[in-house]
Amino acid sequence: NGGKLLLCDTLENFWDYDNSEFIQRHIARGHTMSKKHAFCMHAFVKNYWRPYWGDDTTIEDLTKPELDDFFFYLFREKGLAGETVNKVINSASRCTRWLYENNRIKINPLFGIERFKANHAERDIPTEAEMRRLLQLDWENPMALMAFKLGAFCGLRAGEISSLRVCDIDVAEGMLHVRHSYSEVDGLKSTKNKDKRDLPIDNVTTLQLMNHARLNPKFNELSYIFWSSKEPTKSTTPGYYADIFYLALEKIGISEAERKDRNIVFHSLRHFCATILAQRTGRNTVMTILGHRTEKVSEHYSDHDTKEKFDNMRNVMQATWDQYLSA
């Protein structure tokens, strides 16, 4: 190839988390890069770039008209959403930009490439009547129901639910410490906004979580609450909660077609939590519960102020739970 860089080989090596020069330098400079992100970018290369361009195309041979034809092909022929096509573009543009900035190539062929308009469908939430019916269901297992409640009434993300460990439950104080997130690729990692938050939970839920955790044959302070039955030292993957949630929706009469049309996903439970709490309390309390704050809570708060704040949060959340659980 005359010293030119093979397109797909270069892209795949660029997103090889353990061996990529770019990723190693990126992390060394104090930036973050999750294995999951690198894995997804690598998958875009393998699933879309290589089948279309083959093994012999070089980066130096790429032209903007050819690239535009490729992206239009993904959108029109492959039926990818505009947002997904943009991710395919990103899987290569970040690589070519880095190569250009480090004098590995003379021209960045993806510079200024036009992206697709992403049409973000508005996310819907279950109605209050639907939530009551979901709570009355005979769920597949108690763990699935607990995960559903943590999403709907505490606003936890799926990854945050999977990350919960025994040490994150304070039984005496009735507190839930949300310190991490979890993915099947990265395992335990920081939360989405790299912040931590404490949530007051009722005594019944606290005991349910701890009782389930104690069923783990590998139970200890660092074991997961939602442990995997196949590998007790690992957590249940976040995608499991969505699968069970969708089955529950079908049981109450919301078909797959309706669910997709309304754009109801597991994360919708977090939106439900925000909506319900916003009707009952102030914005600051909602931000604290959901972890949407942009600044960390001051470490200089007095114990009295902190306890008062948590007691208020607990009262609001408990009143909301009671409304649905007793319906």
Side-chain angles (χ1 to χ4, degrees), residues 25 99 114 135 150 235:
R25 291 177 181 269
L99 292 171
E114 185 177 0
L135 287 166
L150 289 176
S235 181

Side-chain angles (χ1 to χ4, degrees), residues 88-307:
V88 175
I89 295 174
N90 292 341
S91 67
S93 64
R94 192 164 191 183
C95 173
T96 58
R97 184 182 69 191
W98 185 80
L99 292 171
Y100 174 76
E101 291 173 347
N102 287 274
N103 298 316
R104 310 290 176 89
I105 55 176
K106 294 182 178 179
I107 297 175
N108 179 1
L110 278 91
F111 177 76
I113 202 76
E114 185 177 0
R115 284 169 165 74
F116 287 71
K117 182 178 180 180
N119 295 318
H120 298 286
E122 184 177 352
R123 183 164 290 150
D124 197 4
I125 63 176
T127 65
E128 295 191 26
E130 288 168 345
M131 289 296 291
R132 292 189 182 96
R133 288 157 61 193
L134 287 167
L135 287 166
Q136 293 167 359
L137 274 180
D138 182 14
W139 285 66
E140 181 174 305
N141 59 57
M143 183 185 73
L145 177 58
M146 283 189 288
F148 168 77
K149 289 180 178 179
L150 289 176
F153 298 109
C154 294
L156 265 66
R157 302 175 178 91
E160 292 172 343
I161 295 172
S162 289
S163 76
L164 292 176
R165 298 176 296 173
V166 173
C167 60
D168 296 324
I169 308 294
D170 188 331
V171 178
E173 296 295 329
M175 298 294 295
L176 186 67
H177 306 298
V178 184
R179 297 167 169 147
H180 299 95
S181 185
Y182 185 95
S183 80
E184 59 273 25
V185 177
D186 294 286
L188 204 64
K189 59 180 184 177
S190 61
T191 59
K192 182 177 180 180
N193 58 7
K194 298 178 177 59
D195 205 355
K196 302 175 183 179
R197 65 190 189 276
D198 295 329
L199 297 176
I201 56 176
D202 65 283
N203 185 57
V204 172
T205 302
T206 302
L207 294 177
Q208 287 176 341
L209 293 172
M210 288 303 297
N211 288 338
H212 179 73
R214 289 191 179 96
L215 296 176
N216 188 343
K218 302 291 186 180
F219 174 80
N220 61 72
E221 285 196 354
L222 297 180
S223 61
Y224 291 102
I225 302 293
F226 295 88
W227 48 280
S228 169
S229 58
K230 294 182 179 180
E231 296 184 74
T233 59
K234 295 185 178 181
S235 181
T236 300
T237 56
Y240 171 77
Y241 313 127
D243 294 338
I244 298 299
F245 177 48
Y246 298 158
L247 289 175
L249 289 174
E250 289 186 5
K251 289 181 180 179
I252 67 168
I254 300 179
S255 66
E256 179 181 2
E258 180 184 351
R259 170 176 61 79
K260 290 182 177 180
D261 181 65
R262 291 172 59 182
N263 194 22
I264 297 177
V265 296
F266 187 84
H267 199 74
S268 297
L269 298 177
R270 180 171 165 84
H271 288 243
F272 174 85
C273 178
T275 301
I276 296 301
L277 292 178
Q279 297 170 359
R280 293 161 169 78
T281 185
R283 181 180 178 184
N284 287 339
T285 300
V286 176
M287 290 177 64
T288 302
I289 291 173
L290 297 182
H292 278 162
R293 59 187 183 275
T294 56
E295 297 180 357
K296 293 183 179 180
V297 177
S298 173
E299 295 179 356
H300 301 291
Y301 280 7
S302 67
D303 291 342
H304 174 74
D305 289 339
T306 300
K307 185 177 185 302

